[in-house]
Structure formats: structure tokens, C-alpha cells
Amino acid sequence: MNNIEEIKTLNPYQQEAVLDESPACLVNANVGSGKTTVLIEKVRHLHEKKQVSYEKMVVLTFTNKAADEIAERLSRKEAELTEEELWGFGTFHSVALRILRRFLPEKAEDGTKLEEWNREFTVITPEDEMEMVLAIAKEGGYKIKYQNRLKKRMEEDYAAYRKGRTQGKYKDDLFQIFPLLEKAKRQQNKMSFADLLEEGTQVAKEQEEVLDLKWIIVDEVQDSDEKQLEFLEALKGTRTHFFAVGDPNQVIYSWRGTGPNMFFLIKHRFGAKELTLPVNYRSDEVILEAANRFLQFGGKIEGSGERGEKILVRNHYDPFIEAEYLTERIRELHEQGLPYREIAVFYRVQKQAEILEKVFERAELPYVLPAKQKEDEDPVPERPHMIREYVAEGKLNAVSGEHTMEKAADIERQTEEEDAVHLMTLHASKGLEFDYVFIVGMNQGLIPLRCKSIEQEEEERRLFFVGLTRARKNLELSYYTNPTIPGTYETPSNYLRMLPEELLDWEEKPGSESRKANLQKLRKDTRELIREKKQEEEEQKETRKPERKGRHPKYGEGEIISEDEMMIELEFPGYGKKQFLKAFGEVEVLKGL
Ligand SMILES: Nc1ncnc2c1ncn2[C@@H]1O[C@H](COP(=O)(O)OP(=O)(O)OP(=O)(O)O)[C@@H](O)[C@H]1O
């Protein structure tokens, strides 16, 4: 299908977005409304109909996976597309990196070390940067307090230093080390992720005329932070068109400068016209009605009108029992014809995967985890979200900073081919879709996590919204009676109560009717237990032998505790238990007492 035919299959809102040519346009899109579809069709339309060459476009995505998907779809139509042509297609960091590789000075031929970066720089991870700080401290005899928390301190304090702060809250030498670190990174030609973006912004500003971009297109713009915004502004010349799609309801990485407001900030910064994509093509009405309860911006999400099945809510004793249940349930679904790859299990914290993995492995149930998912999706949201794109896909090579399109496509194909259940955190589920979605651990204190602020609470709600809206047809939510993750309450999540009851098939619901019934049963059982116990005591009284006593010439009177043909044992006040051979006849058994 050529681009014109494909545009005809789009709905009028999508078509308007694809064809829009205003200098700046922001598409406020609902979840699952075809953002990716629009973005790809727009790029193709500009190229095929408007003769804009790919080199004059920058198409920024939030993950390498999304960038690869676009590049792959374009390559399918135009086999001879080169990586050079698509230099501007990628994440913010990878595009910044390519700009730097192109425009930074070349390495000095005579090998003299420069005080500035050259284009052969290597990219370092936050861990590498921390090692550099420790080396500088050791060499110069600088003091750093709380070294076990250095990584976190670096994130906060180094960012603050870059903004001009000269002293941190602890009385040590960390802020004196920062200028030395800056110098060392340049001398050693090493760049961190933050350097990539900052330096890339600088160079883009200087080279704006050379780049001469016709279009900047941004996906998931709601997740951009201040630094990324600066990069966009640096790239944009006076004649560059700006087109971005995003959904303020899906902001889930807001701890570093991003926030639901970013979407509206961008609109004003770029003086953008606003378009909408209201129709969700992904999920059935039951799922959308549930999702509507968690919508923070905009009106209702419109859907296809297909009703769908009720959302199952299930209670399991603990994560282990739950994992066993999931194994059986997933097997059952698979036997009914659902491919494993259409089933996903989402959880709030990475640790929850351990039990699932163990049980699935033992049961030989095929499953996959995201390529490289780790601490950045921890419950405590405090990592720079630029790391997310690096870690989420694991494709940005930390040394060269490059990722090849072929390799990425290979990885993609492999995952596509594998028929396996997807296990992932709610964070990692963003942008994906599955027929059947399980969200486990729906206990208060886990989903949502305990929050310290209203902003965090709102973000937790958006995160759950993202999770819910990944499902096309079926959703199953579950909570534990006996949760094992610290900080989790035994009560079901308030989010479950926020869902309209008529949409739910809630088994063992400890609310209203069944709760009353449970209480009544508990009372009845307890009464029965008490009655049984009393009866037992009565019976024991009846069968108990009357107390028997004996007398010993030395120890006096005592109680007979036990006796057989040979021995007799008595307990004497003040002397304790004593045993005697009956044959010696020392004990006189007292009758009738
Ligand atoms: N015009 C259309 N007709 C039919 N199906 C469509 C149309 N547009 C998009 N879709 C389908 O709807 C689903 C969601 O589309 P897409 O993934 O592009 O949405 P999205 O807005 O990027 O989602 P998210 O908000 O989760 O990031 C996909 O399965 C896509 O194929």
C-alpha cells in the first residue's frame, strides 16, 4: 500500500494530524489512539508527497525500540535506505551522539591531548563516572562522605553543580571534585549521558544552519524533560516545522523535570497548534470504562464500541500460590488457542518477578523479561529518565554509544518469534499491547506504592492507567492475603474499589455482602470452636482419675503421679518427684483420699 492509500485507512483526526503543516503542532492523543501509526504515516507523507529528504528530518522517540520500529517500517517500503540518511531517527541521546560524532573536532593527528572532547569520544555509564570521582578523590586526598550513597548523591549534586550550585548539604569535598571531573572527562575523551545531551545541544545550536532541518517530529513528548526541551530548541531553526505527539495521561517518569505540565509547557514554548486523537483502537469498552476512572486530563476515551468480558479480580494467599495459579491459568488460555506472546504479567516492583520466574521455570512455562530491565524502574522514582532509554532497551552501547539498526531489528525479530509470556514492571509495559493482561499484587502499599506527595500519588495513578490500557481484550487483577513485599498492606488496593463494580467479576471480594457473610461465618465457626472446647473439658473432667496420694517415711505425704508393676512415682511438697521400687514397700498408698 502506498502512503496515500494508507492515509485513507486513517480516521479523520489521524488524517488531519498527518497532513498538518503548521509551523508547530502538538497532538494531544488518547491512549492507544494510533500515535505511532500517525507518526510513521506523517514521515512517509513528508518524504513521498512533499519530497522532504530523510536527512532533513529529526524524528525523536523515547526508546530505541520505537526508533527501530519506525526505521524498520520505512526500510520495508524503501529497501535501499541507509543509516546515514536516517541519522536523525532515534532517541534524544542517540541523535545528540550522532551530531557530536559529526561536528566535534577531529582527534589531533600528532596525538597531542586536547583539553576538549573530540569526535572519537567514548560514552560512559553513571557507574564509570562515579569511579572517576573516586579516583580523583583518592589521588587528590579529597574527602567524600557517605560513599555508599555516592551514586545517588552524584545524580542530585552533580546536576545541581551543573546548574551553578557550589556547595551541597554535606560538609565534604564533592563539589571541589566536580570541576576536576569535568576536566578529566575532557582529557580522557569520555562523555556521560548528560554530557551527550548538553554538549549535543551546544553543537546543534552552533550547527543549526548546516543541519537546516525541515521537520522535527517527536514521539511521547510528554516525557521530555527540561534538557531535552533545550535540545529541541537548539535543533529548531526559524524555518523548521515542529510536530509532536504525546499523552499527558501517560507521564510515568516525572521525577526529573518532566511532569504532566511539560506537555502544556511545550505547547506554549513552541506556540503550537493543538490537535487531538480521541479514538482508542486497542481496548474493548470494559477496559476503556475502567481506564476512564484513572484519566487525569481530557474527557472520556472513545472506543470501538465492542463490549468485551468483565475484568476478573482474584485474591491469592501469597505470591507463591498466585504464581502457581497463573501457571495453570496461562496454560488453560494457551490451550484455548491464545499464543503465549499475547499474555503479559505486570507487577509494580522488579522483586516480584523472582517468584514468578522460579515457578514458571519449574513448570516449564515459556516466559520473557524485557531486554534489560532493572533499577531504573524501582519503586523509589529518583533516577534520571535519560537512563531509561539506555537501560530499557539495552541497545545503546556504553563504549561507542552506537546501536546498529540491523542488530536492533534482529533482536526485535527474535522476540517476535519467541512464543512466550511477557513478564515486566508496569513501567516497562508502556507503549506495548497484549490480548490478555494480568496485573498482580494489587494491594494497598504496592499498587499504589506508599506516596510522600500528591504528585507521587498522581503518578502512581497514571502508572496503573498505563498498565490497564495495555490490554486489548482481557484484564485480570489480583491481590494477596499475605503479601511478602515489605511495606505492603494485606488489604486490596483502593484502585480496585475505584473501578465500577458492574465491570468486575470479583471473587472472594472482602467488601459489603461477602465480607458480611465472611464475618458471620467466622463468628459461627468461633462459637462452634468454643462449644467444642467446653465439651472436651467436660469430658476430660469426667474421665479424669481421682487424685491419689501416698506416704513415705522420710518425705511424708505426696501425690502419686505414675505407677506400673515395678515402680511408683510421687511428688512431695518441698522434695519434688521421687521414684521408688514397689518391692521395697517404702510407699504406703493412702486409700479413699
Ligand atoms: N485507523 C486505525 N484503524 C484501525 N486500527 C488502528 C488505527 N490506528 C491505530 N490502530 C491500531 O490501534 C492500536 C494502537 O495504536 P498505536 O500503538 O499506534 O497507539 P499509540 O497511541 O501509540 O498507543 P499508546 O498510547 O499505548 O502509546 C494498534 O494496534 C494499531 O494498529
Side-chain angles (χ1 to χ4, degrees):
M1 226 190 305
N2 68 30
N3 177 242
I4 298 171
E5 285 165 40
E6 239 157 78
I7 288 177
K8 281 188 196 147
T9 66
L10 302 179
N11 73 31
Y13 298 98
Q14 294 172 324
Q15 284 186 20
E16 190 182 357
V18 168
L19 302 176
D20 189 85
E21 286 188 27
S22 19
C25 177
L26 196 60
V27 183
N28 189 343
N30 262 338
V31 65
S33 58
K35 287 188 279 297
T36 318
T37 316
V38 161
L39 212 100
I40 293 170
E41 289 317 314
K42 177 138 197 124
V43 171
R44 288 185 61 203
H45 169 75
L46 290 173
H47 183 67
E48 289 170 25
K49 276 291 280 177
K50 299 282 164 180
Q51 279 80 46
V52 181
S53 70
Y54 289 128
E55 284 112 317
K56 295 289 169 197
M57 293 185 209
V58 158
V59 180
L60 294 165
T61 52
F62 212 75
T63 61
N64 283 314
K65 184 170 176 262
D68 295 336
E69 195 183 317
I70 294 173
E72 214 201 337
R73 274 169 74 168
L74 295 178
S75 309
R76 253 187 258 152
K77 314 275 172 187
E78 265 179 86
E80 66 279 10
L81 268 182
T82 63
E83 277 192 41
E84 285 70 42
E85 273 181 276
L86 298 182
W87 73 269
F89 288 60
T91 61
F92 281 78
H93 288 93
S94 54
V95 172
L97 177 131
R98 288 181 210 136
I99 289 178
L100 293 170
R101 289 254 186 264
R102 182 169 159 201
F103 294 109
L104 276 181
E106 281 188 68
K107 192 178 172 185
E109 286 206 347
D110 57 3
T112 42
K113 283 209 166 169
L114 293 173
E115 294 295 301
E116 277 306 325
W117 285 304
N118 67 56
R119 65 179 74 166
E120 285 177 32
F121 62 86
T122 51
V123 181
I124 55 170
T125 62
E127 286 78 15
D128 299 331
E129 201 171 33
M130 195 173 75
E131 290 302 320
M132 289 183 77
V133 166
L134 289 172
I136 295 168
K138 197 171 170 199
E139 202 179 308
Y142 293 102
K143 203 172 76 195
I144 303 174
K145 281 187 183 170
Y146 312 112
Q147 290 201 11
N148 53 343
R149 279 192 274 140
L150 183 57
K151 200 164 163 209
K152 187 160 177 276
R153 285 192 66 195
M154 285 276 293
E155 279 170 16
E156 288 166 7
D157 289 351
Y158 193 26
Y161 168 80
R162 281 166 174 254
K163 283 187 186 153
R165 186 131 50 96
T166 53
Q167 185 60 51
K169 63 178 169 200
Y170 303 113
K171 287 197 172 63
D172 64 6
D173 303 327
L174 192 58
F175 274 70
Q176 275 106 285
I177 295 174
F178 289 148
L180 302 173
L181 172 69
E182 299 268 282
K183 202 169 158 200
K185 281 192 290 185
R186 283 164 173 81
Q187 282 172 342
Q188 296 172 27
N189 211 18
K190 288 178 177 169
M191 277 201 195
S192 68
F193 298 108
D195 295 328
L196 278 181
L197 205 58
E198 217 159 89
E199 198 61 15
T201 301
Q202 211 48 45
V203 173
K205 231 181 256 171
E206 289 157 17
Q207 304 294 335
E208 185 224 293
E209 277 182 35
V210 181
L211 289 170
D212 185 29
L213 294 174
K214 299 284 177 270
W215 280 85
I216 297 175
I217 295 173
V218 192
D219 192 14
E220 298 212 55
V221 76
Q222 79 279 354
D223 273 324
S224 312
D225 63 17
E226 192 58 45
K227 292 277 170 209
Q228 290 170 323
L229 215 62
E230 283 170 20
F231 183 59
L232 291 175
E233 286 174 320
L235 285 170
K236 192 177 174 325
T238 44
R239 289 177 303 132
T240 318
H241 289 82
F242 175 80
F243 178 86
V245 291
D247 178 3
N249 285 300
Q250 292 187 67
V251 173
I252 56 168
Y253 287 93
S254 75
W255 57 93
R256 284 288 152 116
T258 319
N261 291 336
M262 189 51 95
F263 190 87
F264 307 102
L265 181 81
I266 290 171
K267 185 179 166 191
H268 291 116
R269 258 307 163 93
F270 289 91
K273 163 185 180 179
E274 190 174 326
L275 293 179
T276 56
L277 292 184
V279 186
N280 176 298
Y281 284 97
R282 179 178 298 140
S283 312
D284 69 37
E285 288 297 325
V286 169
I287 293 162
L288 291 184
E289 229 178 293
N292 273 324
R293 294 287 167 114
F294 291 85
L295 205 63
Q296 289 173 10
F297 301 94
K300 261 178 84 172
I301 308 169
E302 285 176 38
S304 61
E306 215 165 288
R307 190 70 200 151
E309 286 171 41
K310 281 192 174 188
I311 298 170
L312 304 187
V313 181
R314 294 291 178 260
N315 172 221
H316 303 290
Y317 179 70
D318 64 14
F320 192 79
I321 302 281
E322 177 184 70
E324 305 240 292
Y325 162 83
L326 285 173
T327 312
E328 266 180 46
R329 182 89 183 102
I330 290 171
R331 280 250 160 79
E332 201 177 277
L333 293 170
H334 189 248
E335 274 159 23
Q336 288 164 11
L338 192 64
Y340 287 125
R341 76 173 79 86
E342 279 307 332
I343 303 171
V345 183
F346 302 156
Y347 34 82
R348 179 63 184 87
V349 296
Q350 189 53 45
K351 211 173 161 28
Q352 289 172 272
E354 285 171 13
I355 293 175
L356 290 170
E357 278 194 78
K358 272 196 197 114
V359 174
F360 286 5
E361 239 163 62
R362 201 186 53 193
E364 294 179 7
L365 189 81
Y367 71 89
V368 278
L369 294 162
K372 212 173 173 192
Q373 175 190 309
K374 44 184 196 190
E375 315 96 85
D376 68 308
E377 284 143 4
D378 262 359
V380 195
E382 54 203 8
R383 274 156 204 284
H385 89 245
M386 61 184 184
I387 310 297
R388 173 198 165 200
E389 60 182 53
Y390 162 68
V391 194
E393 304 305 323
K395 287 178 198 157
L396 186 67
N397 184 303
V399 178
S400 69
E402 290 287 7
H403 74 282
T404 65
M405 266 185 261
E406 301 85 66
K407 220 193 276 168
D410 275 355
I411 294 167
E412 220 31 61
R413 247 172 265 130
Q414 274 168 19
T415 2
E416 262 169 36
E417 276 163 20
E418 208 172 340
D419 189 25
V421 177
H422 289 260
L423 296 186
M424 68 188 79
T425 60
L426 284 169
H427 275 102
S429 76
K430 197 170 169 194
L432 305 176
E433 55 185 31
F434 304 92
D435 277 350
Y436 208 112
V437 168
F438 292 90
I439 305 182
V440 303
M442 294 262 339
N443 285 66
Q444 201 57 22
L446 191 53
I447 299 179
L449 282 182
R450 292 188 203 201
C451 297
K452 291 193 195 114
S453 64
I454 290 179
E455 287 77 22
Q456 265 187 25
E457 267 174 41
E458 288 180 342
E459 180 126 329
E460 284 293 308
R461 270 203 348 250
R462 289 192 295 270
L463 183 60
F464 182 58
F465 173 85
V466 168
L468 283 182
T469 52
R470 301 305 97 199
R472 291 194 197 98
K473 296 179 186 147
N474 294 86
L475 251 181
E476 189 166 329
L477 314 172
S478 55
Y479 62 96
Y480 317 117
T481 302
N482 189 20
T484 51
I485 301 284
T488 310
Y489 297 101
E490 285 157 11
T491 46
S493 165
N494 286 344
Y495 289 177
L496 290 172
R497 292 184 226 289
M498 284 164 70
L499 296 169
E501 264 193 70
E502 67 276 12
L503 301 182
L504 307 180
D505 167 350
W506 189 332
E507 224 173 59
E508 292 176 58
K509 182 182 175 186
S512 56
E513 285 315 303
S514 57
R515 189 176 212 172
K516 256 188 242 156
N518 277 350
L519 268 178
Q520 273 167 5
K521 187 169 181 301
L522 190 71
R523 273 195 216 110
K524 197 169 153 250
D525 289 351
T526 316
R527 271 201 301 268
E528 184 71 11
L529 262 177
I530 293 170
R531 200 186 56 75
E532 274 172 18
K533 196 152 191 264
K534 266 193 185 151
Q535 197 177 338
E536 215 173 88
E537 276 171 9
E538 290 298 318
E539 279 168 12
Q540 265 181 7
K541 247 188 224 164
E542 276 165 27
T543 54
R544 197 180 294 156
K545 284 180 193 145
E547 196 177 69
R548 292 173 69 224
K549 293 207 166 189
R551 187 183 295 128
H552 187 268
K554 188 175 170 194
Y555 304 114
E557 254 179 45
E559 191 185 332
I560 299 172
I561 299 169
S562 65
E563 176 178 21
D564 60 22
E565 287 118 64
M566 282 179 71
M567 305 289 295
I568 184 162
E569 188 182 17
L570 288 94
E571 187 166 11
F572 299 97
Y575 293 102
K577 289 176 187 167
K578 304 278 175 199
Q579 286 184 340
F580 307 97
L581 267 172
K582 273 188 175 170
F584 290 143
E586 292 168 284
V587 176
E588 181 197 353
V589 176
L590 302 171
K591 299 227 162 65
L593 284 168

